[in-house]
Amino acid sequence: MVVSADAGSRGGKAVPYKALLDEAIAQSTHKPESVLLVDRGLAPLPLVEGRDRLWAPLREQHLHAQVPCVWVDATHPSYTLYTSGTTGKPKGVQRDTGGYAVALAASMEYIYCGKPGETYFSTSDIGWVVGHSYIIYGPLIAGMATIMYEGLPIRPDGGIWWSLVEKYKVTVMFSAPTAIRVLKKQDPALLKKYDLSSLRALFLAGEPLDEPTAQWISEGLGKPIIDNYWQTETGWPILAICKGVDDAPPKFGSPGKPVYGYNVKLLDDQTGAELTGANQKGVVAIEGPLPPGCMQTVWRDDARFVNTYWKSVPGRMVYSTFDWGIRDEDGYYFILGRTDDVINVAGHRLGTREIEESIAGHPNVAEVAVVGVADALKGQVAMAFAVLKDASCLGDTQAELRLEGEIMKLVDRDLGAVARPARVRFVTVLPKTRSGKVLRRAIQAVCESRDTGDLTTMDDPAALQQIRDLVQTKNS
Ligand code: AMP
């Protein structure tokens, strides 16, 4: 069964779902027997005879039904959540039931410090891992009320979240740095307009927390701002400040120290050797077994789980987070970005290969490279460079813009607007090594006006120059 609605609402506009859902079902190999639809009165809701049913009349019908619990093994899968990797094929992160519940219950006590009867407010989307763990299961397991907020943080104005904190006496709040950067552009008086005396702390995760953002919100709210680091795969924090476990105070720029249950190591990516000294950069890895709550496997692909996550560091069987990190002399970790081609746009994780696959679906695209480029608001944005099959439109600005628009629409449809590249630029050739590998890191360096490093393996220097010229024209 698929459960859906006629539409969602964003920025005051309805985003109709039904046509998207019907299209997805039409494309799927295993079609659902039934579709349960909530009609919110936001968009037309044509029903498919025999398959689609409306929620409201069924609710009336079953309102007083007593539904017994179904007991399952602790290892019974609770859900799969798809996340990006370095290939175009997202991985289905499979989570168990019992271990996840234990991990969340413990984290509510020792990391977020929420108490039964209080209210938790996570501003995430329930479709992302933070939403699963800390809008739904975590707070409810802890006996807390939870707020599901649909919409933007700046509508009707930048005070909406704080008005909810006042109204529902929120004690614990969880958001992402990117949302705070959005609020920074609003009137700072909105942070002082509401009674926030119930709020104990604001937790932020999902991407690096920069100092100006942390300071702005901490001063504005007069509350502790607490960073924590984790992934879809783990389901709860890997690095955090744990109360009553290790009473270390937070340190600016660091999400904290390894959470109990995680045996975190920094490893040399070339040799697999453990880096034990202070401030040495290595891959953040976790020695097995992973603690409760972490992924069990890749849905229906154990081999991929082992090969992707456990065999990427030479000579060792450890779980790789695919993040670079360092640890200072006091044991605090600092995350320095991904080791792979995953980018982080406004706290959302995207594989550049997925975006490339979508763009390559355009009939006039022969080849494309997508890279993540630093952005002041979103952390990173995707930037695409495409080689066309029929390049006759090159140089005709209107025609190029039209094509760019078509490609962006394609990405919107396949992956959602969050994955839409900030720009799609057209080139006649992509910079590659002599063995044919696209030099994405060099393209990224050029886009960020950084040094490209060693380019001796590059096949055709003119290819990178084309990109440099395009980027410079844009900047000027
Ligand atoms: P996701 O699976 O979408 O939650 O993305 C996980 C990735 O986001 C991690 O592998 C990191 O690259 C990044 N990330 C999450 N939390 C933090 C944080 N507190 N500081 C820095 N990077 C983070």
Side-chain angles (χ1 to χ4, degrees), residues 407-431:
I407 290 173
M408 287 184 175
K409 268 209 189 111
L410 194 64
V411 178
D412 278 10
R413 191 201 67 185
D414 290 348
L415 302 169
V418 69
R420 185 196 305 154
R423 287 299 313 261
V424 183
R425 313 298 295 251
F426 302 108
V427 288
T428 55
V429 61
L430 290 173

PDB file of all heavy atoms in Angstrom, residues 407-431:
ATOM      1  N   ILE A 407      16.789  21.069 -18.984  1.00  0.00           N
ATOM      2  CA  ILE A 407      17.585  20.122 -18.193  1.00  0.00           C
ATOM      3  C   ILE A 407      17.235  20.255 -16.716  1.00  0.00           C
ATOM      4  O   ILE A 407      17.109  19.258 -15.995  1.00  0.00           O
ATOM      5  CB  ILE A 407      19.095  20.356 -18.454  1.00  0.00           C
ATOM      6  CG1 ILE A 407      19.427  19.905 -19.879  1.00  0.00           C
ATOM      7  CG2 ILE A 407      19.958  19.623 -17.441  1.00  0.00           C
ATOM      8  CD1 ILE A 407      20.822  20.226 -20.347  1.00  0.00           C
ATOM      9  N   MET A 408      17.045  21.483 -16.273  1.00  0.00           N
ATOM     10  CA  MET A 408      16.693  21.675 -14.861  1.00  0.00           C
ATOM     11  C   MET A 408      15.346  21.027 -14.544  1.00  0.00           C
ATOM     12  O   MET A 408      15.164  20.427 -13.477  1.00  0.00           O
ATOM     13  CB  MET A 408      16.668  23.158 -14.525  1.00  0.00           C
ATOM     14  CG  MET A 408      18.072  23.749 -14.457  1.00  0.00           C
ATOM     15  SD  MET A 408      17.999  25.446 -13.946  1.00  0.00           S
ATOM     16  CE  MET A 408      19.740  25.844 -13.798  1.00  0.00           C
ATOM     17  N   LYS A 409      14.419  21.147 -15.478  1.00  0.00           N
ATOM     18  CA  LYS A 409      13.093  20.531 -15.275  1.00  0.00           C
ATOM     19  C   LYS A 409      13.215  19.013 -15.146  1.00  0.00           C
ATOM     20  O   LYS A 409      12.507  18.379 -14.370  1.00  0.00           O
ATOM     21  CB  LYS A 409      12.187  20.854 -16.470  1.00  0.00           C
ATOM     22  CG  LYS A 409      11.371  22.097 -16.265  1.00  0.00           C
ATOM     23  CD  LYS A 409      10.056  22.012 -17.048  1.00  0.00           C
ATOM     24  CE  LYS A 409       9.382  23.351 -16.995  1.00  0.00           C
ATOM     25  NZ  LYS A 409       9.349  24.051 -18.279  1.00  0.00           N
ATOM     26  N   LEU A 410      14.117  18.469 -15.967  1.00  0.00           N
ATOM     27  CA  LEU A 410      14.326  17.027 -15.951  1.00  0.00           C
ATOM     28  C   LEU A 410      14.823  16.576 -14.577  1.00  0.00           C
ATOM     29  O   LEU A 410      14.358  15.590 -14.004  1.00  0.00           O
ATOM     30  CB  LEU A 410      15.379  16.705 -17.024  1.00  0.00           C
ATOM     31  CG  LEU A 410      15.557  15.275 -17.459  1.00  0.00           C
ATOM     32  CD1 LEU A 410      14.288  14.783 -18.126  1.00  0.00           C
ATOM     33  CD2 LEU A 410      16.731  15.175 -18.435  1.00  0.00           C
ATOM     34  N   VAL A 411      15.773  17.328 -14.016  1.00  0.00           N
ATOM     35  CA  VAL A 411      16.311  16.989 -12.689  1.00  0.00           C
ATOM     36  C   VAL A 411      15.223  17.149 -11.621  1.00  0.00           C
ATOM     37  O   VAL A 411      15.087  16.315 -10.727  1.00  0.00           O
ATOM     38  CB  VAL A 411      17.548  17.858 -12.351  1.00  0.00           C
ATOM     39  CG1 VAL A 411      18.064  17.535 -10.951  1.00  0.00           C
ATOM     40  CG2 VAL A 411      18.648  17.648 -13.382  1.00  0.00           C
ATOM     41  N   ASP A 412      14.437  18.218 -11.746  1.00  0.00           N
ATOM     42  CA  ASP A 412      13.307  18.406 -10.808  1.00  0.00           C
ATOM     43  C   ASP A 412      12.421  17.174 -10.805  1.00  0.00           C
ATOM     44  O   ASP A 412      12.007  16.693  -9.760  1.00  0.00           O
ATOM     45  CB  ASP A 412      12.419  19.574 -11.272  1.00  0.00           C
ATOM     46  CG  ASP A 412      12.990  20.903 -10.835  1.00  0.00           C
ATOM     47  OD1 ASP A 412      14.126  20.928 -10.360  1.00  0.00           O
ATOM     48  OD2 ASP A 412      12.285  21.922 -10.988  1.00  0.00           O
ATOM     49  N   ARG A 413      12.125  16.682 -11.996  1.00  0.00           N
ATOM     50  CA  ARG A 413      11.203  15.553 -12.112  1.00  0.00           C
ATOM     51  C   ARG A 413      11.822  14.270 -11.548  1.00  0.00           C
ATOM     52  O   ARG A 413      11.187  13.528 -10.818  1.00  0.00           O
ATOM     53  CB  ARG A 413      10.850  15.333 -13.589  1.00  0.00           C
ATOM     54  CG  ARG A 413       9.705  14.373 -13.801  1.00  0.00           C
ATOM     55  CD  ARG A 413       9.686  13.783 -15.190  1.00  0.00           C
ATOM     56  NE  ARG A 413      10.841  12.912 -15.401  1.00  0.00           N
ATOM     57  CZ  ARG A 413      11.130  12.331 -16.554  1.00  0.00           C
ATOM     58  NH1 ARG A 413      10.387  12.547 -17.610  1.00  0.00           N
ATOM     59  NH2 ARG A 413      12.182  11.543 -16.681  1.00  0.00           N
ATOM     60  N   ASP A 414      13.088  14.029 -11.892  1.00  0.00           N
ATOM     61  CA  ASP A 414      13.716  12.771 -11.477  1.00  0.00           C
ATOM     62  C   ASP A 414      14.103  12.762 -10.008  1.00  0.00           C
ATOM     63  O   ASP A 414      13.975  11.751  -9.327  1.00  0.00           O
ATOM     64  CB  ASP A 414      14.993  12.511 -12.298  1.00  0.00           C
ATOM     65  CG  ASP A 414      14.680  12.176 -13.746  1.00  0.00           C
ATOM     66  OD1 ASP A 414      13.499  11.922 -14.051  1.00  0.00           O
ATOM     67  OD2 ASP A 414      15.622  12.187 -14.569  1.00  0.00           O
ATOM     68  N   LEU A 415      14.632  13.874  -9.522  1.00  0.00           N
ATOM     69  CA  LEU A 415      15.244  13.862  -8.182  1.00  0.00           C
ATOM     70  C   LEU A 415      14.660  14.889  -7.229  1.00  0.00           C
ATOM     71  O   LEU A 415      14.929  14.860  -6.038  1.00  0.00           O
ATOM     72  CB  LEU A 415      16.757  14.121  -8.304  1.00  0.00           C
ATOM     73  CG  LEU A 415      17.538  13.143  -9.183  1.00  0.00           C
ATOM     74  CD1 LEU A 415      18.940  13.656  -9.422  1.00  0.00           C
ATOM     75  CD2 LEU A 415      17.589  11.773  -8.532  1.00  0.00           C
ATOM     76  N   GLY A 416      13.922  15.848  -7.732  1.00  0.00           N
ATOM     77  CA  GLY A 416      13.377  16.901  -6.865  1.00  0.00           C
ATOM     78  C   GLY A 416      14.188  18.183  -7.007  1.00  0.00           C
ATOM     79  O   GLY A 416      15.363  18.162  -7.394  1.00  0.00           O
ATOM     80  N   ALA A 417      13.532  19.294  -6.634  1.00  0.00           N
ATOM     81  CA  ALA A 417      14.128  20.606  -6.870  1.00  0.00           C
ATOM     82  C   ALA A 417      15.433  20.803  -6.097  1.00  0.00           C
ATOM     83  O   ALA A 417      16.299  21.564  -6.522  1.00  0.00           O
ATOM     84  CB  ALA A 417      13.136  21.702  -6.493  1.00  0.00           C
ATOM     85  N   VAL A 418      15.597  20.094  -4.985  1.00  0.00           N
ATOM     86  CA  VAL A 418      16.806  20.288  -4.179  1.00  0.00           C
ATOM     87  C   VAL A 418      18.061  19.876  -4.963  1.00  0.00           C
ATOM     88  O   VAL A 418      19.150  20.397  -4.736  1.00  0.00           O
ATOM     89  CB  VAL A 418      16.690  19.539  -2.824  1.00  0.00           C
ATOM     90  CG1 VAL A 418      16.731  18.054  -3.004  1.00  0.00           C
ATOM     91  CG2 VAL A 418      17.759  19.993  -1.858  1.00  0.00           C
ATOM     92  N   ALA A 419      17.884  18.960  -5.917  1.00  0.00           N
ATOM     93  CA  ALA A 419      19.034  18.469  -6.688  1.00  0.00           C
ATOM     94  C   ALA A 419      19.292  19.300  -7.949  1.00  0.00           C
ATOM     95  O   ALA A 419      20.279  19.083  -8.645  1.00  0.00           O
ATOM     96  CB  ALA A 419      18.794  17.013  -7.087  1.00  0.00           C
ATOM     97  N   ARG A 420      18.408  20.250  -8.215  1.00  0.00           N
ATOM     98  CA  ARG A 420      18.538  21.041  -9.449  1.00  0.00           C
ATOM     99  C   ARG A 420      19.858  21.832  -9.429  1.00  0.00           C
ATOM    100  O   ARG A 420      20.130  22.547  -8.478  1.00  0.00           O
ATOM    101  CB  ARG A 420      17.374  22.015  -9.542  1.00  0.00           C
ATOM    102  CG  ARG A 420      17.341  22.802 -10.828  1.00  0.00           C
ATOM    103  CD  ARG A 420      16.429  24.008 -10.711  1.00  0.00           C
ATOM    104  NE  ARG A 420      15.089  23.633 -10.286  1.00  0.00           N
ATOM    105  CZ  ARG A 420      14.263  24.453  -9.650  1.00  0.00           C
ATOM    106  NH1 ARG A 420      14.635  25.679  -9.347  1.00  0.00           N
ATOM    107  NH2 ARG A 420      13.070  24.054  -9.284  1.00  0.00           N
ATOM    108  N   PRO A 421      20.685  21.687 -10.473  1.00  0.00           N
ATOM    109  CA  PRO A 421      21.949  22.430 -10.465  1.00  0.00           C
ATOM    110  C   PRO A 421      21.692  23.940 -10.483  1.00  0.00           C
ATOM    111  O   PRO A 421      20.712  24.402 -11.076  1.00  0.00           O
ATOM    112  CB  PRO A 421      22.636  22.011 -11.759  1.00  0.00           C
ATOM    113  CG  PRO A 421      21.928  20.800 -12.218  1.00  0.00           C
ATOM    114  CD  PRO A 421      20.545  20.858 -11.678  1.00  0.00           C
ATOM    115  N   ALA A 422      22.586  24.691  -9.831  1.00  0.00           N
ATOM    116  CA  ALA A 422      22.464  26.147  -9.842  1.00  0.00           C
ATOM    117  C   ALA A 422      22.632  26.656 -11.272  1.00  0.00           C
ATOM    118  O   ALA A 422      21.968  27.593 -11.696  1.00  0.00           O
ATOM    119  CB  ALA A 422      23.526  26.759  -8.936  1.00  0.00           C
ATOM    120  N   ARG A 423      23.532  26.040 -12.016  1.00  0.00           N
ATOM    121  CA  ARG A 423      23.710  26.363 -13.431  1.00  0.00           C
ATOM    122  C   ARG A 423      24.029  25.087 -14.196  1.00  0.00           C
ATOM    123  O   ARG A 423      24.650  24.161 -13.670  1.00  0.00           O
ATOM    124  CB  ARG A 423      24.899  27.329 -13.652  1.00  0.00           C
ATOM    125  CG  ARG A 423      24.719  28.771 -13.236  1.00  0.00           C
ATOM    126  CD  ARG A 423      23.605  29.522 -13.941  1.00  0.00           C
ATOM    127  NE  ARG A 423      23.499  29.416 -15.395  1.00  0.00           N
ATOM    128  CZ  ARG A 423      23.964  30.326 -16.255  1.00  0.00           C
ATOM    129  NH1 ARG A 423      24.617  31.388 -15.827  1.00  0.00           N
ATOM    130  NH2 ARG A 423      23.778  30.187 -17.561  1.00  0.00           N
ATOM    131  N   VAL A 424      23.611  25.051 -15.467  1.00  0.00           N
ATOM    132  CA  VAL A 424      24.082  24.012 -16.382  1.00  0.00           C
ATOM    133  C   VAL A 424      24.840  24.767 -17.471  1.00  0.00           C
ATOM    134  O   VAL A 424      24.256  25.600 -18.168  1.00  0.00           O
ATOM    135  CB  VAL A 424      22.919  23.215 -17.014  1.00  0.00           C
ATOM    136  CG1 VAL A 424      23.460  22.099 -17.895  1.00  0.00           C
ATOM    137  CG2 VAL A 424      21.994  22.656 -15.944  1.00  0.00           C
ATOM    138  N   ARG A 425      26.137  24.529 -17.572  1.00  0.00           N
ATOM    139  CA  ARG A 425      26.940  25.243 -18.566  1.00  0.00           C
ATOM    140  C   ARG A 425      27.330  24.248 -19.652  1.00  0.00           C
ATOM    141  O   ARG A 425      27.469  23.049 -19.395  1.00  0.00           O
ATOM    142  CB  ARG A 425      28.222  25.829 -17.928  1.00  0.00           C
ATOM    143  CG  ARG A 425      28.009  26.579 -16.623  1.00  0.00           C
ATOM    144  CD  ARG A 425      27.116  27.787 -16.774  1.00  0.00           C
ATOM    145  NE  ARG A 425      27.678  28.809 -17.615  1.00  0.00           N
ATOM    146  CZ  ARG A 425      28.141  29.979 -17.180  1.00  0.00           C
ATOM    147  NH1 ARG A 425      28.113  30.265 -15.882  1.00  0.00           N
ATOM    148  NH2 ARG A 425      28.617  30.873 -18.004  1.00  0.00           N
ATOM    149  N   PHE A 426      27.486  24.774 -20.873  1.00  0.00           N
ATOM    150  CA  PHE A 426      27.775  23.869 -21.993  1.00  0.00           C
ATOM    151  C   PHE A 426      29.218  24.030 -22.467  1.00  0.00           C
ATOM    152  O   PHE A 426      29.704  25.148 -22.634  1.00  0.00           O
ATOM    153  CB  PHE A 426      26.790  24.130 -23.129  1.00  0.00           C
ATOM    154  CG  PHE A 426      25.367  23.952 -22.667  1.00  0.00           C
ATOM    155  CD1 PHE A 426      24.528  25.045 -22.495  1.00  0.00           C
ATOM    156  CD2 PHE A 426      24.903  22.692 -22.330  1.00  0.00           C
ATOM    157  CE1 PHE A 426      23.232  24.886 -22.016  1.00  0.00           C
ATOM    158  CE2 PHE A 426      23.603  22.518 -21.856  1.00  0.00           C
ATOM    159  CZ  PHE A 426      22.758  23.615 -21.701  1.00  0.00           C
ATOM    160  N   VAL A 427      29.874  22.894 -22.652  1.00  0.00           N
ATOM    161  CA  VAL A 427      31.272  22.885 -23.095  1.00  0.00           C
ATOM    162  C   VAL A 427      31.396  21.896 -24.257  1.00  0.00           C
ATOM    163  O   VAL A 427      30.489  21.095 -24.488  1.00  0.00           O
ATOM    164  CB  VAL A 427      32.216  22.449 -21.939  1.00  0.00           C
ATOM    165  CG1 VAL A 427      32.332  23.530 -20.893  1.00  0.00           C
ATOM    166  CG2 VAL A 427      31.753  21.150 -21.295  1.00  0.00           C
ATOM    167  N   THR A 428      32.519  21.952 -24.964  1.00  0.00           N
ATOM    168  CA  THR A 428      32.662  21.025 -26.087  1.00  0.00           C
ATOM    169  C   THR A 428      33.376  19.744 -25.680  1.00  0.00           C
ATOM    170  O   THR A 428      33.342  18.741 -26.383  1.00  0.00           O
ATOM    171  CB  THR A 428      33.448  21.685 -27.247  1.00  0.00           C
ATOM    172  OG1 THR A 428      34.691  22.150 -26.709  1.00  0.00           O
ATOM    173  CG2 THR A 428      32.677  22.841 -27.837  1.00  0.00           C
ATOM    174  N   VAL A 429      34.050  19.814 -24.508  1.00  0.00           N
ATOM    175  CA  VAL A 429      34.764  18.631 -24.039  1.00  0.00           C
ATOM    176  C   VAL A 429      34.933  18.746 -22.508  1.00  0.00           C
ATOM    177  O   VAL A 429      34.985  19.855 -21.974  1.00  0.00           O
ATOM    178  CB  VAL A 429      36.123  18.515 -24.782  1.00  0.00           C
ATOM    179  CG1 VAL A 429      37.002  19.722 -24.520  1.00  0.00           C
ATOM    180  CG2 VAL A 429      36.875  17.250 -24.435  1.00  0.00           C
ATOM    181  N   LEU A 430      34.956  17.596 -21.823  1.00  0.00           N
ATOM    182  CA  LEU A 430      35.157  17.628 -20.364  1.00  0.00           C
ATOM    183  C   LEU A 430      36.621  17.316 -20.047  1.00  0.00           C
ATOM    184  O   LEU A 430      37.242  16.494 -20.735  1.00  0.00           O
ATOM    185  CB  LEU A 430      34.273  16.576 -19.686  1.00  0.00           C
ATOM    186  CG  LEU A 430      32.770  16.844 -19.696  1.00  0.00           C
ATOM    187  CD1 LEU A 430      32.016  15.630 -19.128  1.00  0.00           C
ATOM    188  CD2 LEU A 430      32.421  18.092 -18.887  1.00  0.00           C
ATOM    189  N   PRO A 431      37.180  17.938 -19.007  1.00  0.00           N
ATOM    190  CA  PRO A 431      38.563  17.612 -18.644  1.00  0.00           C
ATOM    191  C   PRO A 431      38.647  16.192 -18.085  1.00  0.00           C
ATOM    192  O   PRO A 431      37.886  15.836 -17.185  1.00  0.00           O
ATOM    193  CB  PRO A 431      38.902  18.650 -17.560  1.00  0.00           C
ATOM    194  CG  PRO A 431      37.608  19.160 -17.058  1.00  0.00           C
ATOM    195  CD  PRO A 431      36.589  18.968 -18.130  1.00  0.00           C
TER     196      PRO A 431
END
